[in-house]
Amino acid sequence: MRMPSFALRHPWIGLLIVATIAVASWMLLRAPHPATESMPLAAAGSEAPQPAGPPWLYGRADARFTLIGYADLECPHCRAYFPALKRWIDAHPEVNWQWHHLPLSMHEPAARAGARLAECAGETGGHATFWQAVAWLYSNTRGDGQGVPASLHYPELTPAMQGCLESDRPDAVIRAQTVEAAEQGIATTPALQLRDRETGKTLLLHGPVEGDALLSAIDLLAAGGTTVAEPAHSADMPTGVAGDMPR
């Protein structure tokens, strides 16, 4: 590189030019690549990403314990229990909640219609959208098989969701989860199966279960240590009463 004559007469000017070029070159080499600039690193200790559903998950994907909840969207007991259990999960990050449909014959066809709507909301919008749809259904259904009033339409219905409702995809999910419930001997709602991911053990809880009973169930499973349990049978725990849940 040839220095301008002015720089030759004033050596300090030449040194300044060289230093400026060197700094500019270093900054260019340090600049992030455009393809990775918009991909920030995950914060330390951040929540693990939720796996694709169904089944749909509420809470931390990396929680040690999972409550598999079998529910009917026309069941009055399920409707009353839903916000209480949701608050309890919010207060206990070591537990997540996995939804399984169990529409009861006494509540058909409204129970299945609600399950299809929620399932399609999840398919098109993910976990959070699924739980929003469940909350909307419980808030607006008349319950006991009466369903949502005909004049009321789901406000977040999208063309993609409508396409899902016109398909048989939600029916396949609902049918599979109903068969699974029957294989577990579950015929009423709400019902919960508590699973410890570390020990592999499960505990079947009948009816809406209050916070203290859930904590006792967790203690019972955790006491099994790290030994993998035989997958044959789940233990049973008697029904609790849903009260002021988070405890």
Side-chain angles (χ1 to χ4, degrees):
M1 181 180 65
R2 184 180 177 181
M3 292 289 182
S5 59
F6 178 81
L8 292 174
R9 293 196 300 271
H10 298 82
W12 64 272
I13 294 294
L15 291 174
L16 180 60
I17 292 171
V18 171
T20 301
I21 293 172
V23 170
S25 299
W26 178 81
M27 291 180 68
L28 184 62
L29 291 172
R30 293 276 296 179
H33 192 279
T36 60
E37 190 172 13
S38 60
M39 298 171 62
L41 295 175
S46 60
E47 182 177 343
Q50 290 181 319
W56 306 104
L57 197 67
Y58 183 79
R60 293 184 61 95
D62 57 354
R64 173 177 173 177
F65 300 96
T66 294
L67 275 173
I68 301 171
Y70 296 87
D72 176 330
L73 286 164
E74 285 292 301
C75 164
H77 300 294
C78 300
R79 178 172 59 186
Y81 190 45
F82 178 79
L85 184 55
K86 187 171 180 289
R87 287 193 302 271
W88 190 86
I89 294 291
D90 288 339
H92 296 83
E94 73 276 15
V95 189
N96 58 34
W97 178 9
Q98 189 182 99
W99 180 282
H100 284 224
H101 298 287
L102 183 54
L104 303 177
S105 58
M106 70 181 73
H107 295 152
E108 295 289 30
R112 188 167 299 269
R116 296 183 88 258
L117 179 69
E119 199 57 41
C120 285
E123 179 185 300
T124 57
H127 294 270
T129 305
F130 171 84
W131 293 99
Q132 289 168 6
V134 170
W136 184 87
L137 286 161
Y138 275 142
S139 296
N140 291 283
T141 183
R142 293 163 294 183
D144 281 327
Q146 300 179 78
V148 175
S151 59
L152 194 59
H153 301 285
Y154 186 60
E156 305 298 329
L157 186 65
T158 63
M161 188 172 168
Q162 183 62 47
C164 172
L165 288 169
E166 292 171 359
S167 75
D168 61 358
R169 293 192 302 274
D171 300 295
V173 174
I174 296 163
R175 184 166 53 250
Q177 294 181 350
T178 302
V179 169
E180 179 187 296
E183 291 173 348
Q184 298 286 336
I186 299 169
T188 59
T189 59
L192 300 169
Q193 188 183 65
L194 179 64
R195 179 178 296 162
D196 184 345
R197 287 174 46 183
E198 290 191 7
T199 67
K201 293 184 178 181
T202 62
L203 189 65
L204 186 60
L205 313 172
H206 295 288
V209 183
E210 65 178 9
D212 284 345
L214 288 175
L215 291 176
S216 296
I218 288 172
D219 289 342
L220 182 61
L221 287 187
T226 57
T227 303
V228 177
E230 293 296 326
H233 299 290
S234 297
D236 283 350
M237 191 169 182
T239 302
V241 180
D244 195 6
M245 282 282 295
R247 303 179 72 169

